[in-house]
Amino acid sequence: MSAQNAEKTPAVVTVTGAAGQIGYALLFRIASGQLLGPDTPVRLRLLEVPQAVRAAEGTAMELDDCAFPLLAGIDITDDVRAAFDGTNVALLVGARPRTAGMERGDLLSANGGIFAPQGAAINAGAADDVKVLVVGNPANTNAFIAASHAPDVPAERFTAMTRLDHNRALAQLAARTGRRVDEIRHLTIWGNHSATQFPDLTRATVAGTPATDLVDAAWVADTFIPTVAKRGAAIIEARGASSAASAANAAVDHVRTWVDGTPADDWTSAGVVSDGSYGVPEGLISSFPVTSDGTSWSIVPDLELDADSRARLDASVAELVEEREAVRALGLV
Ligand SMILES: NC(=O)C1=CN([C@@H]2O[C@H](COP(=O)(O)OP(=O)(O)OC[C@H]3O[C@@H](n4cnc5c(N)ncnc54)[C@H](O)[C@@H]3O)[C@@H](O)[C@H]2O)C=CC1
Ligand SMILES: O=C([O-])CC(=O)C(=O)O
C-alpha cells in the first residue's frame, strides 16, 4: 500500500458464499482494487457456512500470497452478525441452489433462512453508507427478503444483480452488428433475473445508429431476447457449472458503476426497489434502466414502452409479484 493509501480507513467488503465458485473469481478482483478503485484499501470479510470455512481459509491463504497492496486484512467467519459489522459493501453471493425435486416454495424457504438473518445483521451492524448487491438466486426476491428485514436501512441500498444479463445483451448485439461493446448505449434489462426478463434494445444505439435500424425484428424476438434470457442455462449446459467468472465480473461492474457513477451519455441495468415507475408495483426489486450519481441509483424516467415491450415487462413483473406473494405466504417477510 502506498504511504498515502495506508493512512485511509479501509472499506469493509463482506462476501457471502466466499468459498463458492463466484467467490473464487470475485475475491481476487476486489483485493486488487477493481471493485472500489486504486485508492481505496479494502478489508475483506468472508462469510461461509461452518463446513466451508476451511475452504475459505484456503482462499484467504492465496489472497495473502498475491501480496495485494490494497488488501488491509481478511476476516473469515460463520457468524452472520460478525460478518456485517461495519460493512460498507455487502456482496450476498451464497444462496441455496435448486436441487432435483425441489419445489419453488422449498427454494424460497431455504433462501429466506439465509437472506432474512443477513438483512437483520446488515440492519444491526453495517456502516451507515452500506451498499448491498444480491447475486445469489433468486436474486431479486432474495434482495426483497433481505431489505424487508432491514427496516433502518434505506431500501434503495438493496440491489439485485442484472448486470450480467446487461453485459450478455451488449455482447450479443455487438457480435450481431460487428461493432464494439463500448459503441453501444442505452440497452436495458427489465424485470426479474430469470428467463422472464426483458432484454430491451428498442432505445439502444450502436455507434450512434438506432439498433432497430441495424437488426431485424425477427432476430430480436427469436434470437436476441431468448439468448440473453436463457444464457445462464446455456452456460450450465456447456460448462457443467453455472456462470462464475462472468458473474463475478458483473458484480464488480455493478459496484464500480454505483460508486463511480454512470457516464453522462448512458445508463445501465440493475435490480432496484421500484417507486412505482413503469407500473412496477412499489417495493418490488425489479431491473430497470438506471443511472448512478456515485451514491445512489435513479430509475431513468419517462421512457415510452411500446405494446410488445409493455407485455414483456408485465410478464416478468407478474413473476416477481408471484415470488413476493410466495415469500409472504411462507412468513419470510
Ligand atoms: N444474479 C446473477 O446474475 C447470477 C447469480 N448466480 C447465483 O449466485 C449464487 C452463487 O453461485 P456459485 O458461487 O456458483 O455457487 P456455489 O455453490 O459454488 O457457492 C455458493 C457458496 O455459498 C455458500 N453458502 C450457502 N449458504 C450460505 C450462508 N447462509 N452463508 C454464507 N455462505 C453460504 C456455500 O457454502 C457455497 O460455498 C447461486 O445462487 C447462483 O445461482 C450465479 C450466476 C449469475
Ligand atoms: O442460472 C443460474 O443458476 C446462474 C445465473 O443466474 C445466470 O447465469 O444468470
Side-chain angles (χ1 to χ4, degrees):
M1 204 176 302
S2 71
Q4 203 182 8
N5 282 342
E7 285 162 22
K8 289 190 179 167
T9 308
V12 177
V13 179
T14 298
V15 178
T16 75
Q21 294 199 83
I22 295 176
Y24 195 72
L26 180 60
L27 292 168
F28 297 86
R29 298 197 50 190
I30 301 171
S32 70
Q34 292 177 57
L35 190 80
L36 297 176
D39 300 321
T40 307
V42 291
R43 183 166 192 95
L44 280 171
R45 197 68 72 60
L46 314 186
L47 178 68
E48 258 299 349
V49 295
Q51 59 274 27
V53 162
R54 186 72 191 131
E57 287 170 353
T59 306
M61 289 161 68
E62 284 202 71
L63 284 160
D64 285 341
D65 295 349
C66 294
F68 287 121
L70 288 170
L71 184 56
I74 310 171
D75 312 302
I76 303 167
T77 183
D78 61 7
D79 179 316
V80 68
R81 290 284 164 140
F84 294 106
D85 189 32
T87 295
N88 302 103
V89 178
L91 303 175
L92 308 188
V93 178
R96 174 73 162 83
R98 190 194 289 267
T99 42
M102 202 177 190
E103 297 299 329
R104 199 170 65 155
D106 301 332
L107 182 73
L108 290 172
S109 226
N111 280 297
I114 295 172
F115 288 88
Q118 290 181 359
I122 288 168
N123 197 58
D128 287 345
D129 69 347
V130 68
K131 294 179 170 63
V132 184
L133 171 62
V134 176
V135 175
N137 279 322
N140 300 54
T141 294
N142 287 340
F144 176 75
I145 294 169
S148 304
H149 289 267
D152 304 327
V153 178
E156 292 73 25
R157 307 285 191 75
F158 284 84
T159 63
M161 191 165 92
T162 55
R163 185 62 171 264
L164 177 54
D165 311 289
H166 185 94
N167 287 344
R168 289 166 171 163
L170 287 172
Q172 292 300 320
L173 183 58
R176 179 71 179 181
T177 55
R179 305 300 303 215
R180 300 190 317 267
V181 286
D182 63 0
E183 294 179 296
I184 300 175
R185 303 278 181 278
H186 300 136
L187 265 179
T188 305
I189 305 295
W190 299 88
N192 202 1
H193 171 68
S194 76
T196 68
Q197 68 179 259
F198 170 35
D200 175 12
L201 54 62
T202 55
R203 250 163 240 91
T205 56
V206 185
T209 303
T212 47
D213 291 353
L214 300 171
V215 295
D216 58 90
W219 178 78
V220 175
D222 300 338
T223 304
F224 173 72
I225 292 174
T227 299
V228 173
K230 295 180 191 163
R231 187 71 163 181
I235 300 283
I236 292 171
E237 203 271 317
R239 210 173 83 85
S242 61
S243 309
S246 56
N249 178 68
V252 170
D253 283 352
H254 176 109
V255 174
R256 196 69 195 266
T257 304
W258 196 344
V259 299
D260 281 357
T262 33
D265 63 345
D266 204 4
W267 63 59
T268 187
S269 305
V272 297
V273 66
S274 177
D275 57 0
S277 295
Y278 300 104
V280 179
E282 207 175 325
L284 278 186
I285 301 217
S286 171
S287 189
F288 288 100
V290 290
T291 54
S292 169
D293 61 6
T295 304
S296 359
W297 295 110
S298 302
I299 297 169
V300 175
D302 302 328
L303 302 174
E304 291 288 326
L305 295 183
D306 62 22
D308 177 69
S309 301
R310 183 76 257 165
R312 290 181 189 275
L313 173 56
D314 286 350
S316 196
V317 168
E319 184 183 50
L320 284 171
V321 170
E322 266 176 45
E323 290 181 11
R324 180 178 67 181
E325 295 319 309
V327 296
R328 280 187 177 153
L330 290 162
L332 298 173
V333 295

